[in-house]
Amino acid sequence: MTAERRELKLVRESLESVVSPEVAAAVLFDALDLHEGPLPSDVASLVAFVGGALRGALRTRLGPAAESVADELSLHLGLVLPAAASPPRRWDRVTTREVLVDGRPVRVLVVSGRAALAEKLMACLGEFRVSPVAVTTPEILDAQSHLGLHAVVLVDAADFAPIEPSMLALRLASMDPMVLRIVWGGELPYGAALLRAMSDREAVAHAVDRREGFEPLLDLIRSRQVRPGPPPRS
């Protein structure tokens, strides 16, 4: 399973203290896409990430409200960052904070050429919401598929694993019908070929257009989170 980085967990939890978990996850994913180089791993790189890519992603997502959120986030993290030009405004925590319904983390097989997408999922949702496993070879896919524990298989068509679409479609079609199959980048050549091969096998796959942003993908994964049932009657 992909491990959760302590630095990104701190950023995500701080974001969730000022905006809803959905907004926090989307902003963090955008920031990780903007960020160049390895993921933050120490105080210096975390300061650079928050003051650069993350602040930029907040501006894109929230417009005029971004500076207020960025300033409050910086205070929450205790980092020394450049002050905004305008005085900070308080963000309404009551209306933006969402209480997470307890449930087991969603197990996700992330079929990709690298572990980057699995790491982003972990960073955006956290270990209590998602349990991603990076699958970069056919052998890893076969080994994990036999476990029968995964609720979602996510195929990265932008950075695809060295598996032919027809062969991957055959493996996906053989899985339990209850497994949610998602193609991230269904509009890309690899994604389109995989979707055609899945259709030929009358297997269902959900295509997510990367141009629509990360939210549809996050929503699909959240939809598979196991909710706790009612307490037993005494």
Side-chain angles (χ1 to χ4, degrees):
M1 188 190 78
T2 300
E4 184 169 17
R5 290 175 178 260
R6 183 178 62 85
E7 294 80 11
L8 291 177
K9 179 180 180 181
L10 175 63
V11 172
R12 190 193 69 256
E13 291 178 346
S14 298
L15 267 175
E16 290 179 355
S17 73
V18 292
V19 297
S20 70
E22 288 79 10
V23 173
V27 167
L28 190 50
F29 184 83
D30 289 347
L32 290 170
D33 260 2
L34 291 172
H35 180 66
E36 296 180 357
L39 297 180
S41 58
D42 53 31
V43 173
S45 59
L46 185 61
V47 170
F49 173 71
V50 172
L54 187 62
R55 187 178 284 266
L58 283 168
R59 290 192 186 109
T60 300
R61 286 276 175 179
L62 304 181
E67 297 302 334
S68 173
V69 176
D71 289 337
E72 187 163 352
L73 174 63
S74 299
L75 290 172
H76 193 276
L77 287 169
L79 302 177
V80 180
L81 299 174
S86 57
R89 295 171 294 158
R90 296 294 299 173
W91 190 261
D92 187 353
R93 300 187 184 205
V94 175
T95 59
T96 59
R97 180 65 172 161
E98 178 182 288
V99 177
L100 173 68
V101 178
D102 289 335
R104 286 177 291 175
V106 180
R107 294 178 179 269
V108 183
L109 283 183
V110 184
V111 185
S112 182
R114 298 174 299 164
L117 185 55
E119 291 176 348
K120 287 179 180 178
L121 275 181
M122 177 61 83
C124 295
L125 294 176
E127 62 187 349
F128 295 110
R129 297 188 182 99
V130 67
S131 175
V133 176
V135 174
T136 56
T137 67
E139 292 76 18
I140 297 176
L141 176 61
D142 289 341
Q144 290 291 334
S145 299
H146 293 156
L147 295 178
L149 299 174
H150 302 279
V152 178
V153 177
L154 171 61
V155 179
D156 185 355
D159 183 14
F160 49 86
I163 308 174
E164 288 295 324
S166 58
M167 184 59 67
L168 180 55
L170 182 62
R171 285 169 160 82
L172 295 180
S174 67
M175 292 180 178
D176 190 301
M178 294 302 294
V179 174
L180 178 63
R181 303 162 182 85
I182 306 173
V183 180
W184 170 240
E187 78 284 3
L188 300 176
Y190 185 91
L194 176 59
L195 290 169
R196 287 194 299 270
M198 292 286 289
S199 178
D200 291 343
R201 289 167 174 76
E202 298 183 349
V204 177
H206 295 267
V208 178
D209 192 318
R210 295 172 78 249
R211 295 166 296 188
E212 295 179 358
F214 204 44
E215 290 95 331
L217 177 57
L218 293 176
D219 288 342
L220 283 170
I221 293 173
R222 287 192 188 98
S223 73
R224 289 304 174 100
Q225 186 168 19
V226 178
R227 307 298 183 184
R233 294 182 179 180
S234 56

